[in-house]
Amino acid sequence: MTAEAAATNEDILLREDRDGIAWLTLNRPNAFNSLSRPLIARLQEELDRMADDPSVRVIVLAGAGRGFCAGHDLREVRGNQDNQPFIKELVGACSNMMQTIVHHPKPVIARVHGIATAAGCQLVASCDLAIAEDGARFATPGVNIGLFCHTPMVALSRNVSRKHAMEMLLTGEMMDADDAVRFGLINRAVPAAKLDEAVREMAGRIASKSSYTLKIGKRAFYDQLEQPDLKSAYDHASITMVENMAARDAAEGIQAFIDKREPVWEDR
C-alpha cells in the first residue's frame, strides 16, 4: 500500500476557514503537491461543497512544503501508462476540476510559492487571481519529457498572449515571477515574507463585497469572453447588468453610496 493510499482523504487536502475565506492547501509536500487522482477528487469534492456554502465568500488555493504544485503525479502516470481508461479518466477529472474553478460562484485566488509547473501552472491560470512570492517559478515543461502540456495549454492560452504561451509550451523553460506578472499569468509578486499578508489583504477586500454581485459578475466575465464577436459580448453583458440592477444588493449599494455609509449586504 502506498503512503497516499494509507493516508486519510483529509491528509492530502487541508481546509481552514477564516473570516469568510476558505483556505485549501494541497498537502502532498514530498511530491511537490502533484495532482494525483485522489487529490483531484478531494479538490473537486471541496469545491462542489463550497459552491452553495454562504459562509464561504472567497477561496484560496495554496500548497504545503517547498512548492505550490508540480503538475500531475508522474509516478502515477507512468504506472498506468498502458491503462488507457485510467489515463482518460485522470485527464478528464483534472479538466473538470479546472473548469469547476473557472465556473465556481466564489472567486478563487492562487497563493503561489516555489514552483508551479505543468498542471500546477494550469491550476494557477485557472484561478481568477494569483499572487506569488517573488522567488516563484512557472513552467509547462511537458515537452522536455515527450509529453506536450495539452490540457495546461487551454488555461495558459486564455491568460497570456499567444506568443508567450507558445514560448512556454515549446521551450518548457522556467519563467520567473516578474515575467509571470508581465505575461499576465499572475497579478503580482511579493517578497516571500509578505505572501500570506498580500493574499489575506486581497481576499479580505473581495470577501467584503456582495457575494451575489461577485457571483454574477464572475460568471458574466467568463461568458462574455467566449462570445463570438464584440456585439454578442455586449449583448450578453447588458442582459446580466439588467439582472444585477434588479438585485436587492444593488439597491442597497446605491443607497449606501448616496447616504455616505457602508452597505449592508443581503447577498441577493
Side-chain angles (χ1 to χ4, degrees):
M1 179 179 289
T2 66
E4 180 158 324
T8 64
N9 282 342
E10 288 73 24
D11 286 332
I12 59 174
L13 183 69
L14 308 177
R15 175 175 170 178
E16 182 179 357
D17 290 21
R18 317 172 200 162
D19 303 320
I21 304 164
W23 294 68
L24 291 180
T25 302
L26 313 180
N27 193 38
R28 301 187 67 219
N30 293 333
F32 275 95
N33 301 311
S34 55
L35 295 173
S36 64
R37 184 63 189 89
L39 180 53
I40 291 169
R42 284 288 293 121
L43 272 167
Q44 185 68 57
E45 178 185 329
E46 284 298 329
L47 289 166
D48 289 344
R49 180 179 291 122
M50 290 187 290
D52 297 319
D53 185 347
S55 71
V56 176
R57 307 181 75 83
V58 179
I59 300 167
V60 173
L61 292 184
R66 295 175 293 163
F68 177 70
C69 178
H72 284 294
D73 186 331
L74 293 182
R75 292 184 182 276
E76 181 182 63
V77 171
R78 184 68 185 95
N80 290 278
Q81 205 158 355
D82 296 327
N83 184 352
Q84 287 300 298
F86 176 87
I87 297 298
K88 183 178 180 181
E89 199 276 336
L90 172 68
V91 172
C94 188
S95 295
N96 287 338
M97 185 268 292
M98 300 291 180
Q99 292 176 74
T100 295
I101 291 172
V102 174
H103 298 303
H104 205 279
K106 314 296 172 72
V108 184
I109 303 172
R111 174 210 179 274
V112 188
H113 75 294
I115 61 167
T117 56
C121 188
Q122 178 186 5
L123 191 57
V124 173
S126 297
C127 290
D128 304 301
L129 302 168
I131 300 177
E133 67 173 13
D134 53 14
R137 296 183 297 160
F138 306 81
T140 48
V143 68
N144 296 329
I145 58 170
L147 184 62
F148 200 83
C149 284
H150 296 279
T151 46
M153 170 182 68
V154 175
L156 186 67
S157 64
R158 281 163 169 74
N159 280 264
V160 307
S161 72
R162 291 186 181 186
K163 291 290 192 294
H164 288 141
M166 286 300 285
E167 179 182 347
M168 293 179 67
L169 291 161
L170 294 174
T171 68
E173 293 176 354
M174 284 286 187
M175 176 174 64
D176 64 26
D178 288 340
D179 278 344
V181 173
R182 185 166 60 87
F183 286 9
L185 180 60
I186 63 175
N187 294 84
R188 67 192 61 161
V190 300
K194 299 285 188 180
L195 181 57
D196 282 337
E197 178 185 343
V199 173
R200 279 194 299 268
E201 193 276 333
M202 178 176 282
R205 274 191 289 141
I206 296 169
S208 72
K209 316 300 182 186
S210 159
S211 64
Y212 170 80
T213 304
L214 294 175
K215 176 178 70 174
I216 64 170
K218 174 177 171 176
R219 183 187 69 205
F221 177 81
Y222 291 112
D223 285 350
Q224 64 86 20
L225 285 175
E226 299 302 322
Q227 299 302 311
D229 53 49
L230 186 63
K231 182 181 183 304
S232 298
Y234 268 111
D235 288 346
H236 183 83
S238 297
I239 291 169
T240 308
M241 192 160 188
V242 170
E243 176 189 348
N244 194 170
M245 284 180 176
R248 294 283 293 273
D249 279 353
E252 165 62 12
I254 293 169
Q255 191 61 52
F257 178 81
I258 293 170
D259 295 344
K260 295 182 172 56
R261 61 174 174 82
E262 291 297 316
V264 179
W265 305 124
E266 296 182 33
D267 295 323
R268 58 189 177 128

